[in-house]
Amino acid sequence: MVNADIEIETLAEFDQVVARGSLSGYRIQSVNLLERTFALLSADTSAAVFLGCAMEPDAAAKVRADGALVFPPVPDLPFNPYRGLLYTPEELFTGLPDGYEATPDALAYAWFQETKADTDVLSSMLRSIHDDAISDALDEHLVGARVVGVMGGHAMSRGGADYRGAAELGRALTRSGLTVATGGGPGAMEAANLGAYLAPAPDEALAEALELLAKAPSFTPSVSDWARAAFAVRERWPAGGDSVGIPTWFYGHEPPNAFAGHVAKYFANATREDGLLARSTAGVVFLPGAAGTVQEIFDNGTPNYYESRGEPAPMILVGRTHWTEHLPAWPLLRALARGRAMESRIALVDSVDEVPGVLASMS
């Protein structure tokens, strides 16, 4: 059995494997098996692992007797630590008509706030299991994709020229065949995901979408109004392009945006940051930002300097004045790169319009 084929993450996959007669050695991940008792009683489940699968007591007793490992669902959690698939915006924002506070995203953050300092090993273990499951799902989703990261600050307003530029960048990168990955939050991150979402739509759709979004320019003071405006855009153009958002509950004051087709949300910000940059193998674009974006520049620059992930990936900083005067990260990055393989893989440009061409020349 090939390792990549031993995970079962949907009921349809479960039924296909059972039809072949054996579940031995498989990992069944967060599948509701309450209606599959006969199949479990009949199949060989030796050396199988059941992660968070609901099943009848008779079935659970039988598979344990076979030698399977059973990790039962954890009651009263606002998230599933064993989930096999990435989140969708619809899932995270379920209940939005009643206000953001009622959504699974908000409830997971509230649980995190309550448990992160309680020194309870169970809570920390559940967070770790969840984040590992998300990483596994993210890797499976991105198989074969050419991923370009777009980094930038959360404070960028929906009504500004910079937001439009970031959206145009996300659209151009997606149309060129790349998969856009962002930090999954508001501001520049949302704008890039929005551009990717509208990539299949006519060019004029972006102006109309920006007009709809401008009704709630920021996630403050109301996350609910901000998110509802985004879902109004999604309703207007329901067949959006795909991209990835990788946010964190560590920054719970920043809600995830609704334009990433798939969302890998983490509890541990360090895992999220490193994972986002490591998976951006086609390059990373750094839009103007503050402390978080500066950190990401050098988090990405360090493995490029040491070539610890192989050949250095392209790094493009957008905004000459911003990165040479306001926050002069560019001179330090250029000095760091001098004489290294990464020297030809870094660039500073004035505007987002230059990014696709520069990125293509580096690739």
Side-chain angles (χ1 to χ4, degrees):
M1 186 182 303
V2 180
N3 285 341
D5 296 332
I6 67 174
E7 294 182 4
I8 297 174
E9 296 159 339
T10 67
L11 196 57
E13 291 175 346
F14 177 86
D15 290 340
Q16 290 172 3
V17 173
V18 167
R20 297 198 290 267
S22 176
L23 290 165
S24 179
Y26 279 87
R27 283 80 171 102
I28 302 90
Q29 194 170 348
S30 190
V31 180
N32 188 332
L33 299 174
L34 291 173
E35 301 297 325
R36 295 297 187 272
T37 298
F38 179 78
L40 291 169
L41 294 176
S42 304
D44 176 12
T45 57
S46 60
V49 179
F50 293 85
L51 299 167
C53 298
M55 61 181 81
E56 295 291 351
D58 289 352
K62 183 267 181 185
V63 301
R64 285 192 175 99
D66 277 354
L69 290 176
V70 178
F71 295 79
V74 182
D76 303 321
L77 277 182
F79 64 95
N80 177 4
Y82 304 111
R83 63 180 300 118
L85 303 173
L86 297 178
Y87 292 100
T88 65
E90 293 90 342
E91 179 183 1
L92 288 172
F93 285 101
T94 299
L96 183 62
D98 297 323
Y100 172 71
E101 295 75 15
T103 65
D105 186 68
L107 294 173
Y109 175 61
W111 177 88
F112 181 40
Q113 289 295 98
E114 292 171 3
T115 62
K116 66 181 181 180
D118 63 8
T119 68
D120 180 6
V121 66
L122 176 61
S123 297
S124 60
M125 181 186 73
L126 291 172
R127 292 194 294 269
S128 296
I129 291 172
H130 169 274
D131 285 1
D132 189 67
I134 288 295
S135 290
D136 182 63
L138 182 58
D139 285 336
E140 292 173 358
H141 177 71
L142 293 177
V143 169
R146 296 173 59 231
V147 181
V148 58
V150 179
M151 311 297 158
H154 69 269
M156 189 180 289
S157 172
R158 283 170 167 174
D162 289 342
Y163 186 97
R164 173 188 282 274
E168 291 172 343
L169 173 63
R171 184 176 64 184
L173 294 172
T174 302
R175 287 177 175 176
S176 73
L178 296 167
T179 296
V180 169
T182 78
M189 297 171 280
E190 181 189 56
N193 287 130
L194 168 66
Y197 184 85
L198 292 177
D203 286 355
E204 56 268 22
L206 179 57
E208 185 178 343
L210 293 174
E211 186 176 343
L212 289 170
L213 292 172
K215 297 176 182 178
S218 173
F219 63 96
T220 58
S222 173
V223 175
S224 300
D225 290 345
W226 175 83
R228 288 177 186 133
F231 279 99
V233 170
R234 290 174 56 96
E235 185 176 351
R236 172 68 178 83
W237 293 278
D242 192 26
S243 65
V244 175
I246 308 181
T248 174
W249 280 294
F250 183 81
Y251 295 135
H253 63 287
E254 295 182 16
N257 76 72
F259 295 113
H262 293 83
V263 181
K265 190 153 192 179
Y266 289 87
F267 287 104
N269 185 53
T271 305
R272 167 252 191 172
E273 288 275 10
D274 185 69
L276 170 55
L277 294 168
R279 290 173 176 86
S280 298
T281 53
V284 184
V285 181
F286 298 92
L287 300 173
T293 310
V294 172
Q295 177 182 337
E296 288 162 348
I297 289 172
F298 293 102
D299 280 347
N300 196 48
T302 299
N304 280 348
Y305 178 88
Y306 289 110
E307 299 183 61
S308 55
R309 295 176 184 152
E311 183 181 359
M315 299 177 64
I316 303 175
L317 278 60
V318 180
R320 192 172 301 273
T321 299
H322 184 83
W323 293 121
T324 60
E325 297 180 19
H326 298 324
L327 293 173
W330 172 252
L332 178 54
L333 181 65
R334 186 173 58 178
L336 192 68
R338 190 171 297 121
R340 313 286 296 193
M342 67 182 287
E343 186 171 15
S344 63
R345 311 286 282 177
I346 64 172
L348 175 66
V349 299
D350 289 310
S351 72
V352 293
D353 296 338
E354 300 172 69
V355 170
V358 172
L359 188 62
S361 70
M362 290 181 174
S363 301

